[in-house]
Structures are given as structure tokens and as C-alpha cells.
Amino acid sequence: QKNLSILPPAQIELARMLVEMGQSHLFRDWPDPGVDDQEKLAFFDQIKLLNESYPGGLASYIKTARELLEDSRLGKNPFDGFTPSVPTGEQLTFGDDSFINFEETGIKEARKAAFVLVAGGLGERLGYNGIKLALPRETTTGKCFLQHYIESILALQEASCGYVEVQRHLMFTSVMCPRSSSGGCRTEIPLVIMTSDDTHARTLQVLKSNAYFGMASTQVILLKQEKVACLADNDARLALDPKNKYRIQTKPHGHGDVHALLYSSGLLKKWRDEGLRWVLFFQDTNGLLFNAVPAALGVSATKQYHVNSLAVPRKAKEAIGGITKLTHADGRTMVINVEYNQLDPLLRASGYSDGDVNCETGYSPFPGNINQLILELDSYIEELSKTGGSIKEFVNPKYKDASKSAFKSSTRLECMMQDYPKTLPPTARVGFTVMDTWLAYAPVKNNPEDAAKVPKGNPYHSATSGEMAVYRANSLILKKAGIHIDEPVKDVFNGQEVEVWPRVTWLPKWGLSFAEVKKKVGANCFVSQPSTLVINGRNIHLETLSLNGALIISSVDSAEVRVEGAIQNKGWTLEKVDYKDASFPEEIRIRGFRINKVEQLEATYDQPGSFTLKPQ
Ligand code: GDU
């Protein structure tokens, strides 16, 4: 009461709200006015931020926290009344006619899409100090995840607006988008990146210092998520920072924040007014994701899905959620992600006595959610107009003892973006699309020590496996397109046994879809296992290439290059690096190898024209 006199009117309202919500302890130790007044005002600045950045404000946060903490204390099962079963979804096989048709549809639809990358997490599990978006996706080119994502979106943009086709016909005269009178492509697929205090400045810095990797800076929108207040006890009393009695302790709220942020930013309505139809969500370190995007978007468009989650076959106990059909005793059903730590207890409680185990296929019968969601914009806006973007939350307190009366450390509410469908009406068309893991999913989440402990047969999800998966996927795609690719060899890096395929990488605009790759490779090509092939240009045709060594080939869009004949050199080799060896940079240590560039053929075509690379 005494201190109210120093506060501006809006802050007084906040103080009243806190008292009404049982938070008087926050002011208990405050000295009289005149002492620490600046700190007290700063305290209310923080309260204002916490209040404004949560849908419904702090009062709503505290109320929900009380309910969820009570449920947790009573040990209530969040799936009470629901029976799990295996849902049916769209199962795609890479390279068959249906896959190719979905890709074609997806590429056309991409001009009506916006991409949203959630990248507010620091990745503590990986033990890497930088932001994960800046990690190399592979170290042959050294390109980081963010560059690959942006180049993939730009490639989709050009392909979807017809730029590529027009460019092909007008080769050597002018390169023009049908929508543009000044050349180049004018369709701009928006990219939103959700950051947090942990990642914002560094994400912006990577973008700025690399000229946004070729994207217009106005095309990239950063939305920063705020942390939420920590809770000290079962009554949802807010926790003060132990070192500062004028500061509330805060922690991340989870990737589910993305929905409220998008809604409050006004972007969704702007996109709708601009004619967009789809919002695609994705995560920070999946180097294979864009292999799956065109076909998945094609599925959404063809099946008219309001929600389409991308999934891969899941190994039991793998740290990805399982897509599950839940049927309530009252008849309600939903198809939803059940997070990996909840799937086993849910199954055991529902008559599956072995819990989360593989079935006869060697995989869990529940497809694995890779958190690539495609939402149909109109229905998304309709839903968010009701919810404001708030997502069903959960709380995970660590109790001091079985009485559950006190916490070991403060907790907070959390939310996940894949829980969006939980509030949808039964009429919503919620589906999922399963693709092969080798094609679509290889995240970088685990540090070398933890990865080496992953049960045999389960994926490592490490920097080592993430990079090897890129070479494997590219090799398998080329193989399917008709190139003869040597079998991989097995090798161990940082205690993890992986398949080492030829190190093949290409620019997204070279091979955005399988149909595009097929057009650019002839039947009589060969790539040996120790080889490195870097394709750095749109119109490079591998006609009769026989590669045993390293070939780095680059060209501008207006050059058309045919590659013929045998190339033999000492190539690039992989040298083992121990993750404990501090003489190497962290991004190398976490993968357990470095690339030794011994010898290569490097060919660059920077002028328009038609060329043949034919080494003798
Ligand atoms: N993230 C945020 N803000 C947060 C927390 C995380 O933006 O507060 C971002 C991360 O940067 C990352 C993404 O969200 O891009 C996912 O974070 P994690 O990699 O830590 O996610 P988990 O491994 O815990 O699990 C998630 C899903 C799983 C499964 C898995 C697939 O919850 O169901 O889909 O990703 O990779």
C-alpha cells in the first residue's frame, strides 16, 4: 500500500491484480517509499511485460497454473477417459508417381505459403554454445542450417511462380519472372523466425552479416518470444529471483508460443489479404526437411487438410512424439501428438502392457511427429480468433518428496506448437503424412556423449548423424534417379557408428524436387564411395560423369553446363576429431571429423552460355 504512491496509474492496476491473485509475498520485503524506488519501477516494467506477452495476461497465467499444479499434485492423467489407437494417414513412397504428383502440386501451392521457423531454443542437450541455426548443415560446403533453409525457400519461390520455366525458355536472353517487369522473381514467400532472448541478437547478426543469404531483408520477420514467470509452489506463487527481490524469475514457455505471437503480430490477416493459403512450421536443425516440404504441401492441398503433420516411422522410445488417435469415452476423437515421455505411460494405462515398444515392422506402430506442421490459413485464423493463439499448456514440477507439497526448484507452464489441434472442433480436417526417415528427418539435438549412449538401432540425432544423413539422402536420391552410387562404408565418429556415403551436396535450386533431379542426371553416371560432389548451380546436367575424387562445380543461372567423362583425383577425406580435443572449433568437435581437402577439380561458369565439362 505504502509503495503505491510511487507508481503510475497503470502500474497500480497491475499491483492490485497481483494482490488479488494471491501474490502479496512479492512486496513483503519492500522498504518504504524513497528506498529502491527505481528498482521498484523496474519490477513493474517486468510485470507489465509478463502481463502483455501472455494471452489473457498474468492473472490468466496464475489461474491456469493453479489448476494444472493441482492436477499434477493429484496425479491426474491428462489423457483421462481417452483410449489411444494407431491413426491412419497418408503414407508416401519417395519417387513413385503419387509422390511426384504431390511434389508438383506442392511446388505450385508454395507461392501461397508462408514459412515459420521456431528457433527460440538454445539446444542445451547439444552442448553447443552458439545458435543452432548457425551450425553447418554439412561441412563439405560449410553452409549453415539457416542458409540452407533460406535457399530452399527461395528455390521454392522461383519454381512456384514459374520463374524457372520462363528462364529455361528465355535462356541467354533475359531472366524474368512472369509477375515482374524488371527481371528476377517478384513472388516473395515470407519467412518468420521465432527467436527468444537467448537467440534473437545472434540470429539477427547471422542474417545481417550474410546479407540475409540472398533473401530480401523485408521478407524475413523476426518475432521474439518472451519467457514466462516461474512458480514457487502449488499455489502458483510467482518465484522471485534469489539474487534480486525486485525481479521475477523467468523460464522459456516452449515453442507453442509461436501461435500467439503470429496472431498478435497481425501477420496472419495480412497474409490472408495477400492471398496466402498455407503456413508451414519447422524447427531449427533438420537438414532433410525441404526434401519433404513440396510433397507434404501437395498432400495438404489435395486432401484439403486444415492441419497436416509430417511424420516418420518412429523407433520405440525415440525422443519424438507419437501421432496418436485418442478416442474419448464420450465419443470425441482427435489425432494428436503424444509427447515421447507420455506415450509409454498412456499405453500402459490403456491395456498395452509393454508400453512404448516396436511392433513386427521393427518400429513403433505410432508414427513419429517431426514437428513440421502445415496449417491452412483461413481455418487457422478462425481458430486463433477464438483462442488468441493460446495453446493447451502443461506443467512439470520436480517435487521435493512424495508428499508433493514443495518443489526442488521453481517450475513454469509450458506449451508445444503441435498441441494446436487440441482445441479444434471435430469437423476440422486433421491429417498427417508419413515419409521415410532417410528422406525427411535428421535433427541435431544430442551431444556426442549422449548420442553414443543411444540404444543400438535408434537414431543418434547428433551433429555426426545429421551431416551423414544429408550425404545419405542425396546419394539415395541420385541413385533413385539412375546414377550408380557406390555402397556406403561404416565408420565410427565420436563413438557413433554411421554409414558414410559419397559426400554429395547441391544447391536447393538444382534439385528442389525429384522430377527436377531426374531431368538433370543421365543414366550412365557413377560416383564412388570416397568421392565428393558439390553442385553449385541451377542448370548443371550430369550426363556421363564418372567420379572418383572431388568435383566442385559452380555456375550462374544463365549458364547451362553438361558434365561428361571421368574425373579422378585424390579428393577430400574425412579425418577423425575427438570431441574432447579443444584445439578444434566446437562445431567440428561435435561431429567427430573434419574434411581434409586434398585434391579436387573445381569448375566455375560465371558467364551465360552453353558449356561442357569434359576432363580428359
Ligand atoms: N523452441 C523454441 N522455443 C522454446 C523451445 C524450443 O522456439 O521455448 C524451438 C527450438 O529452437 C527448436 C524447436 O522449438 O527449433 C523444438 O525444440 P526441441 O528441439 O528442444 O524439441 P524436442 O526435441 O523437445 O521435441 C520436439 C517435439 C517432438 C518432436 C521433436 C522432433 O516436441 O514431438 O516432434 O521436436 O524434432
Side-chain angles (χ1 to χ4, degrees), residues 54-179:
Y54 185 82
L58 255 182
S60 163
Y61 180 77
I62 296 164
K63 185 169 165 285
T64 310
R66 273 196 199 124
E67 289 162 12
L68 290 174
L69 284 165
E70 182 63 1
D71 288 353
S72 167
R73 195 180 64 81
L74 297 173
K76 240 189 180 173
N77 174 0
F79 300 102
D80 220 15
F82 284 102
T83 310
S85 58
V86 179
T88 44
E90 196 64 38
Q91 194 94 31
L92 300 192
T93 305
F94 175 75
D96 71 5
D97 289 349
S98 135
F99 186 90
I100 289 172
N101 288 338
F102 280 131
E103 275 199 325
E104 196 185 329
T105 309
I107 287 176
K108 284 195 198 123
E109 285 296 311
R111 74 166 86 167
K112 295 184 225 144
F115 283 82
V116 179
L117 167 56
V118 291
L122 254 193
E124 283 89 352
R125 273 185 284 161
L126 181 63
Y128 172 65
N129 282 311
I131 53 165
K132 288 169 81 180
L133 282 179
L135 269 177
R137 168 180 175 258
E138 35 77 18
T139 49
T140 295
T141 66
K143 282 186 186 175
C144 68
F145 282 102
L146 186 54
Q147 176 164 8
H148 176 73
Y149 291 155
I150 288 182
E151 287 179 348
S152 300
I153 293 169
L154 289 174
L156 262 175
Q157 173 177 300
E158 292 179 353
S160 73
C161 83
Y163 168 86
V164 180
E165 280 312 309
V166 170
Q167 188 241 353
R168 230 175 238 139
H169 292 119
L170 300 182
M171 187 74 72
F172 321 130
T173 48
S174 64
V175 174
M176 229 181 233
C177 168
R179 296 173 159 206

Side-chain angles (χ1 to χ4, degrees), residues 118 120-121 125 225 254-255 283-284 321 339-340 369 418 441 445:
V118 291
R125 273 185 284 161
Q225 65 176 146
H255 37 70
Q283 302 196 151
D284 49 18
E339 206 51 349
Y340 41 91
N369 164 46
Q418 65 269 36
Y441 185 59
K445 302 202 192 209

Side-chain angles (χ1 to χ4, degrees), residues 154-228:
L154 289 174
L156 262 175
Q157 173 177 300
E158 292 179 353
S160 73
C161 83
Y163 168 86
V164 180
E165 280 312 309
V166 170
Q167 188 241 353
R168 230 175 238 139
H169 292 119
L170 300 182
M171 187 74 72
F172 321 130
T173 48
S174 64
V175 174
M176 229 181 233
C177 168
R179 296 173 159 206
S180 161
S181 53
S182 56
C185 172
R186 241 184 34 187
T187 303
E188 287 196 346
I189 297 181
L191 168 63
V192 169
I193 306 177
M194 181 172 81
T195 57
S196 67
D197 278 326
D198 295 330
T199 61
H200 187 82
R202 284 179 283 181
T203 307
L204 197 58
Q205 193 252 329
V206 171
L207 283 165
K208 282 191 173 161
S209 57
N210 291 286
Y212 287 74
F213 298 111
M215 205 170 235
S217 61
T218 46
Q219 210 174 332
V220 186
I221 303 142
L222 264 55
L223 295 179
K224 183 161 78 73
Q225 65 176 146
E226 296 298 335
K227 292 183 177 161
V228 286

Side-chain angles (χ1 to χ4, degrees), residues 297-319:
L297 186 52
V299 170
S300 275
T302 310
K303 306 263 164 186
Q304 309 258 305
Y305 280 151
H306 293 152
V307 178
N308 183 10
S309 308
L310 229 88
V312 295
R314 175 179 182 276
K315 284 280 182 188
K317 315 227 163 37
E318 186 178 343

Side-chain angles (χ1 to χ4, degrees), residues 138 140-141 471 474-475 478 483 485 502-507 510 521 525-528 530-536 540 542 545 547 549-553 563 567 572 601 613:
E138 35 77 18
T140 295
T141 66
Y471 305 137
N474 288 346
S475 295
L478 289 188
I483 291 196
I485 303 266
R503 270 71 69 211
V504 179
T505 75
W506 58 71
L507 276 186
W510 181 81
V521 304
C525 294
F526 166 74
V527 179
S528 72
S531 290
T532 295
L533 172 60
V534 178
I535 304 173
N536 248 331
I540 294 172
L542 308 179
L545 168 71
L547 178 62
L551 170 63
I552 319 301
I553 180 165
V563 185
I567 295 172
W572 292 5
L601 173 64
L613 172 66

